[in-house]
């Protein structure tokens, strides 16, 4: 059972502030401010606004951590506070943390590399030994909250947030009472930006409202962002015994992999995904014991490239028929957040079930003819019964992941 949500997103810091912005259709995609991007071909990103490090991280940790870890610590604390759960009340090894991350502390690493080459090795921080590492978020959350049970990190790019939640569910089934899970990424620095550009697929549009257009006939790339979500997943019995408020359940999950041949960059960049994404979706439904007709809304991966969007649309129409189920892509307001993307969509799905409202896709007015989807655009869709959501994610390199979440009592 999901009992807590914490969010750091480009269109809102904190779960409720972010969700209100999503329902308003408020985008967080803007010109980069974290560094001077004027010489780069892509200059738009989703930056988390209003995050003051000192408000969320003790002074002793500021020199030890990258921005990604500070965002992660803030979201994890919000999720635990939201759940009303105190790990100290649990048996010593009954609570753990499983997060996803793709880039690690890129900005911290860039700074220390600059010190190495300009001043010498003696000027490189000892904290570089772990601050760059993609597992550092799990470690710091564990230390801060005393989560000493089975823990880990998943690395499957955009699919990571869903994969982490599935791994957390496995730990619950093995006996854990509580697991903090989800994913957050941040690589909006010159070194990180060079990696984004080298990977291919970025939108070079200058108008934030037209830069990232999932399923649109004018789609021409994605916008990177930072942030994501952490969630508290609890054993059903333990949550019920303490009277926890429940957002929903992780009813099913499946993953699949798109192998590529001959250095196919389209597959490397995620544009080759689609066929196996359908297999992941079908597998998640089977794991949940559900049929396609049971799904009330789909939170799409929404790559923002014509080829990848078309493949996702083909996978969805194969499962549901043309325009057979409402489809939405709230990441159109944040950009693609690497490992944070799937986790943030999980949070959106849970809140959509709570409020009985499907958030809109922004930018795209209507899907392209070769993407025959019932895409929710403009304003939230209400007045429909929402009990089951399917969340899809594709990670760079061929990762595909799908999760089914259900409303309490569904």
């Amino acid at each position: 059972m999901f009992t807590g949500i914490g969010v750091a997103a480009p269109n809102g810091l904190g779960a409720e502030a972010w969700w209100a912005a999503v329902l308003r259709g408020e985008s967080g995609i803007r010109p980069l401010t974290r560094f001077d991007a004027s010489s780069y071909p892509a200059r738009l990103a989703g930056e988390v606004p209003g995050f003051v490090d000192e408000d969320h991280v003790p002074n002793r940790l500021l020199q030890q951590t990258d921005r990604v870890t500070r965002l992660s610590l803030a979201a994890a604390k919000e999720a635990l506070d939201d759940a009303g759960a105190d790990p100290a009340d649990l048996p010593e090894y009954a609570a753990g943390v499983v997060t996803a991350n793709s880039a690690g502390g890129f900005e911290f690493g860039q700074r220390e590399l600059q010190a190495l080459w300009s001043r010498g090795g003696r000027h490189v921080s000892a904290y570089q030994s772990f601050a760059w590492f993609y597992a550092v978020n799990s470690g710091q959350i564990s230390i801060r909250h005393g989560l000493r049970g089975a823990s880990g990190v998943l690395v499957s790019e955009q699919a990571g947030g869903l994969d982490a939640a599935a791994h957390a569910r496995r730990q619950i089934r093995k006996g854990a009472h509580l697991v903090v899970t989800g994913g957050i990424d941040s690589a909006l620095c010159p070194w990180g930006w060079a990696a984004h550009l080298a990977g291919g697929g970025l939108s070079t549009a200058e108008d934030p409202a037209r830069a990232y257009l999932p399923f649109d006939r004018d789609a021409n790339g994605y916008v990177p962002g930072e942030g994501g979500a952490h969630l508290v997943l609890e054993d059903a019995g333990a949550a019920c015994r303490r009277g926890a408020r429940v957002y929903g359940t992780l009813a099913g999950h499946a993953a699949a992999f798109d192998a590529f041949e001959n250095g196919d960059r389209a597959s490397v960049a995620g544009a080759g995904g689609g066929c196996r994404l359908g297999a992941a979706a079908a597998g998640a439904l089977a794991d949940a014991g559900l049929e396609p007709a049971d799904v009330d809304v789909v939170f799409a991966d929404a790559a923002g490239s014509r080829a990848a969007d078309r493949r996702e649309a083909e996978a969805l129409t194969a499962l549901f028929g043309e325009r057979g189920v409402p489809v939405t892509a709230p990441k159109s307001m944040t950009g693609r957040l690497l490992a944070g993307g799937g986790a943030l969509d999980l949070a959106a799905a849970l809140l959509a079930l709570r409020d009985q409202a499907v958030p809109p896709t922004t930018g795209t007015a209507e899907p392209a003819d070769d993407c025959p989807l019932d895409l929710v655009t403009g304003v939230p869709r209400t007045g429909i019964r929402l009990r089951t959501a399917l969340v899809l994610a594709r990670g760079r390199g061929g990762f595909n992941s799908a999760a089914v979440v259900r409303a309490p009592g569904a």
Side-chain angles (χ1 to χ4, degrees), residues 2-5 77-86 178 231-234 242-245 247:
F2 289 106
T3 59
I5 299 174
K77 182 179 186 304
E78 182 189 11
L80 284 165
D81 289 347
D82 184 46
D86 186 352
L178 177 154
L231 307 105
V232 173
L233 189 65
E234 288 193 64
R242 70 178 188 86
R245 180 268 328 280
Y247 287 104

Side-chain angles (χ1 to χ4, degrees), residues 34 48 51 53 65-71 107 186 226:
R34 299 276 300 285
V48 175
F51 186 83
D53 296 359
T65 54
D66 181 83
R67 178 178 175 89
V68 68
T69 302
R70 298 168 189 174
L71 291 170
E107 190 169 13
S186 177
E226 65 176 354

Side-chain angles (χ1 to χ4, degrees), residues 227-323:
H230 285 319
L231 307 105
V232 173
L233 189 65
E234 288 193 64
D235 170 73
C240 290
R241 283 193 295 273
R242 70 178 188 86
R245 180 268 328 280
V246 176
Y247 287 104
T249 61
L250 180 58
H253 172 268
F257 189 73
D258 286 312
F260 61 93
E261 299 178 356
N262 301 322
D264 179 2
R265 281 186 67 84
S267 290
V268 174
C275 295
R276 299 302 296 163
L277 181 65
L285 288 172
D287 184 40
L290 299 174
E291 300 293 332
D294 297 314
V295 175
D296 302 309
V297 61
V298 174
F299 286 76
D301 174 70
S305 84
R306 292 292 291 119
D309 287 347
R310 185 164 51 248
R311 289 187 176 94
E312 183 171 18
E314 290 169 355
L316 290 174
T317 55
L319 269 178
F320 302 105
E322 292 190 2
R323 301 175 181 85

Side-chain angles (χ1 to χ4, degrees), residues 17-83:
W18 158 75
W19 182 240
V22 167
L23 293 179
R24 292 194 301 268
E26 184 177 304
S27 177
I29 295 174
R30 304 178 183 89
L32 267 164
T33 63
R34 299 276 300 285
F35 65 94
D36 180 7
S38 59
S39 62
Y40 294 89
R43 295 184 288 275
L44 299 177
E47 298 176 331
V48 175
F51 186 83
V52 179
D53 296 359
E54 292 80 1
D55 292 345
H56 301 279
V57 178
N59 287 336
R60 62 181 177 79
L61 283 181
L62 290 176
Q63 62 179 327
Q64 302 179 26
T65 54
D66 181 83
R67 178 178 175 89
V68 68
T69 302
R70 298 168 189 174
L71 291 170
S72 197
L73 285 167
K77 182 179 186 304
E78 182 189 11
L80 284 165
D81 289 347
D82 184 46

Side-chain angles (χ1 to χ4, degrees), residues 44-392:
L44 299 177
E47 298 176 331
V48 175
F51 186 83
V52 179
D53 296 359
E54 292 80 1
D55 292 345
H56 301 279
V57 178
N59 287 336
R60 62 181 177 79
L61 283 181
L62 290 176
Q63 62 179 327
Q64 302 179 26
T65 54
D66 181 83
R67 178 178 175 89
V68 68
T69 302
R70 298 168 189 174
L71 291 170
S72 197
L73 285 167
K77 182 179 186 304
E78 182 189 11
L80 284 165
D81 289 347
D82 184 46
D86 186 352
D89 295 335
L90 300 175
E92 187 173 9
Y93 299 104
V97 51
V98 178
T99 66
N101 188 260
S102 301
F106 245 59
E107 190 169 13
F108 195 105
Q110 174 188 296
R111 185 171 64 247
E112 299 310 316
L113 281 174
Q114 289 173 321
L116 172 66
W117 294 117
S118 65
R119 303 172 65 192
R122 289 183 299 173
H123 297 276
V124 175
S125 169
Y127 300 123
Q128 168 66 6
S129 61
F130 61 81
W132 71 271
F133 193 39
Y134 50 74
V136 69
N137 295 343
S138 286
Q140 291 288 8
I141 293 168
S142 172
I143 293 168
R144 187 172 190 180
H145 297 286
L147 306 175
R148 301 183 64 192
S151 301
V153 61
L154 277 294
V155 183
S156 49
E157 213 250 0
Q158 189 84 14
L162 303 188
D163 292 342
H167 190 65
R169 184 179 66 158
R170 285 192 285 273
Q171 298 304 331
I172 294 290
R173 289 176 171 175
K174 291 178 181 178
H177 289 202
L178 177 154
V179 180
V180 174
T181 190
I184 284 180
D185 257 305
S186 177
L188 302 184
C189 60
W191 189 25
W193 204 245
H196 282 300
L197 288 167
L202 264 65
S203 170
T204 56
E206 297 184 359
D207 179 0
R210 298 293 298 168
Y212 178 29
L213 305 171
F215 304 109
D216 194 289
R217 64 178 178 271
D218 295 327
N220 191 32
Y222 72 96
V223 174
E226 65 176 354
H230 285 319
L231 307 105
V232 173
L233 189 65
E234 288 193 64
D235 170 73
C240 290
R241 283 193 295 273
R242 70 178 188 86
R245 180 268 328 280
V246 176
Y247 287 104
T249 61
L250 180 58
H253 172 268
F257 189 73
D258 286 312
F260 61 93
E261 299 178 356
N262 301 322
D264 179 2
R265 281 186 67 84
S267 290
V268 174
C275 295
R276 299 302 296 163
L277 181 65
L285 288 172
D287 184 40
L290 299 174
E291 300 293 332
D294 297 314
V295 175
D296 302 309
V297 61
V298 174
F299 286 76
D301 174 70
S305 84
R306 292 292 291 119
D309 287 347
R310 185 164 51 248
R311 289 187 176 94
E312 183 171 18
E314 290 169 355
L316 290 174
T317 55
L319 269 178
F320 302 105
E322 292 190 2
R323 301 175 181 85
V325 64
V327 176
T328 185
K331 61 171 63 70
S332 57
M333 299 174 233
T334 63
R336 293 179 69 81
L337 309 183
L338 302 179
L344 194 62
D345 276 349
L346 268 183
L350 292 167
L351 294 175
L353 297 178
R354 182 194 71 177
D355 294 348
Q356 294 291 288
V358 179
T361 305
T362 61
T364 302
E366 61 181 38
D369 291 342
D370 57 3
C371 296
L373 304 175
D374 179 16
L375 191 66
V376 179
T377 62
V379 296
R381 184 175 298 180
T382 58
I384 59 175
R385 186 171 182 265
L386 299 178
R387 304 295 285 165
T388 303
L390 174 66
V391 183
L392 303 177

